[in-house]
Amino acid sequence: MKQREGNRIICPVCPHHCSLAEGQYGRCRARKNENGTIISTSYGKLTALMLDPIEKKPLRRFHPGSQILSVGSFGCNLSCPFCQNYEISMCSESETGCRHMSPEELADLAEQCKMYGNIGVAFTYNEPLIGYEYVRDTARLVHARGMKNVLVTNGTAELSVLDEILPYIDAMNIDLKGFSEGYYKKLGGDLDTVKHFIERAAGSCHVELTTLIVPGENDSEEEMEQEAQWIASINPDMPLHVTRFFPRYKMTDKAATDVEKIYRLKAVPKNI
Ligand code: SF4
């Protein structure tokens, strides 16, 4: 991959490969060309910090019944018009309030929360991999304290980034937003990238997937059948969470997904 285009530097983290002039931010709003180097501007800057049940990530088959210290920052490299966390994922640092927490401070806090059933740290809420350096540095310290790391991601990152964090990640929930290139294009992503990411992750840690069903967009039984067949080809026991859309952000013109539709789609993989 090219590293420069004239005076511009190319960010290697995700397939957008933003070509950034000095001082310019990338599409995710969390990386920037500073003095000729691409830096993560969200390192240690948290917009959300809470102790959540692990089922909320969602993870169904990884330490059920436990709690996990869940943190988010700002920015995202996709542009889903229905984003449920848009207040932090679709904004820059100046548009949101952040508190600073070093990797050491977060790992220490995770350890202090053991008394409440905490098993480790989950990197979630916005897209963690646009600031993978903080994930890597914190997760290493969390492991050193004998605790677990969870990543909740859209899977839209280069495999070189994934490889850098995989040794420290115990479980992931990866969004598989649909199973057509056309739908991924609308969201500013790419289905093949996510498929390769899931394949690589599933060979190394516990993986569960989530598909948010948006009425009229990714809700056909044919698409679910193709998706389920592909998932089964990697690991027939890999859980898939099929979740409801609720009107949010730029998509407020559609009703929430019908519950019956979710149950119909949930039944599709069982017939494969
Ligand atoms: S991580 Fe951000 S800056 Fe880098 S290529 Fe992706 S969107 Fe662009």
Side-chain angles (χ1 to χ4, degrees):
M1 199 200 98
K2 271 197 307 182
Q3 293 177 330
R4 296 181 158 269
E5 268 173 352
N7 288 334
R8 292 170 169 269
I9 314 288
I10 298 172
C11 175
V13 170
C14 89
H16 295 310
H17 294 150
C18 299
S19 175
L20 303 177
E22 179 61 37
Q24 190 181 358
Y25 282 82
R27 176 180 171 146
C28 61
R29 306 174 180 88
R31 301 187 78 82
K32 175 187 184 190
N33 177 351
E34 192 169 285
N35 300 324
T37 306
I38 304 289
I39 61 155
S40 159
T41 61
S42 61
Y43 193 97
K45 294 173 185 166
L46 304 186
T47 57
L49 173 70
M50 52 200 99
L51 199 56
D52 274 345
I54 195 120
E55 286 78 7
K56 221 174 144 184
K57 297 308 99 194
L59 287 174
R60 184 69 190 271
R61 295 190 185 160
F62 185 76
H63 296 269
S66 62
Q67 302 285 314
I68 192 138
L69 186 62
S70 302
V71 297
S73 187
F74 58 87
C76 185
N77 54 350
L78 293 184
S79 316
C80 307
F82 46 79
C83 183
Q84 308 286 305
N85 283 339
Y86 71 95
E87 296 96 336
I88 56 172
S89 65
M90 294 296 155
C91 64
S92 58
E93 183 179 356
S94 61
E95 295 165 319
T96 184
C98 293
R99 64 186 282 183
H100 190 270
M101 199 172 260
S102 70
E104 290 78 10
E105 287 170 324
L106 183 52
D108 285 347
L109 182 62
E111 202 164 26
Q112 288 159 21
C113 290
K114 267 183 172 174
M115 67 174 87
Y116 305 112
N118 183 40
I119 61 164
V121 173
F123 302 90
T124 176
Y125 303 130
N126 71 316
E127 174 47 50
L129 292 182
I130 56 175
Y132 76 93
E133 296 92 336
Y134 184 69
V135 174
R136 176 198 62 203
D137 297 350
T138 307
R140 190 185 285 148
L141 297 175
V142 169
H143 260 193
R145 286 159 174 74
M147 302 183 82
K148 306 289 184 198
N149 292 298
V150 164
L151 182 74
V152 182
T153 176
N154 61 29
T156 303
E158 291 296 339
L159 293 180
S160 54
V161 168
L162 177 60
D163 287 343
E164 208 167 313
I165 57 154
L166 264 180
Y168 313 108
I169 301 297
D170 302 287
M172 287 192 204
N173 186 293
I174 306 172
D175 270 344
L176 181 54
K177 296 195 180 270
F179 212 66
S180 77
E181 268 305 342
Y183 185 54
Y184 258 96
K185 241 189 195 94
K186 281 190 196 174
L187 310 182
D190 164 56
L191 176 59
D192 275 345
T193 297
V194 180
K195 284 164 77 178
H196 291 140
F197 187 100
I198 292 169
E199 283 166 344
R200 179 76 63 95
S204 175
C205 68
H206 176 82
V207 171
E208 301 190 16
L209 304 176
T210 297
T211 300
L212 179 100
I213 302 299
V214 182
E217 299 286 348
N218 62 347
D219 60 348
S220 77
E221 291 181 28
E222 294 72 31
E223 189 171 327
M224 179 52 73
E225 194 172 324
Q226 288 169 13
E227 179 176 327
Q229 267 166 354
W230 178 77
I231 295 169
S233 74
I234 303 172
N235 174 0
D237 293 325
M238 191 184 296
L240 170 64
H241 300 256
V242 183
T243 59
R244 291 178 79 196
F245 153 89
F246 289 92
R248 291 282 277 166
Y249 189 38
K250 294 180 180 171
M251 199 178 267
T252 51
D253 56 334
K254 284 184 195 282
T257 315
D258 183 36
V259 174
E260 284 305 312
K261 167 65 87 177
I262 297 292
Y263 281 114
R264 275 204 301 281
L265 292 175
K266 179 175 172 259
V268 169
K270 288 196 177 139
N271 301 325
I272 289 176

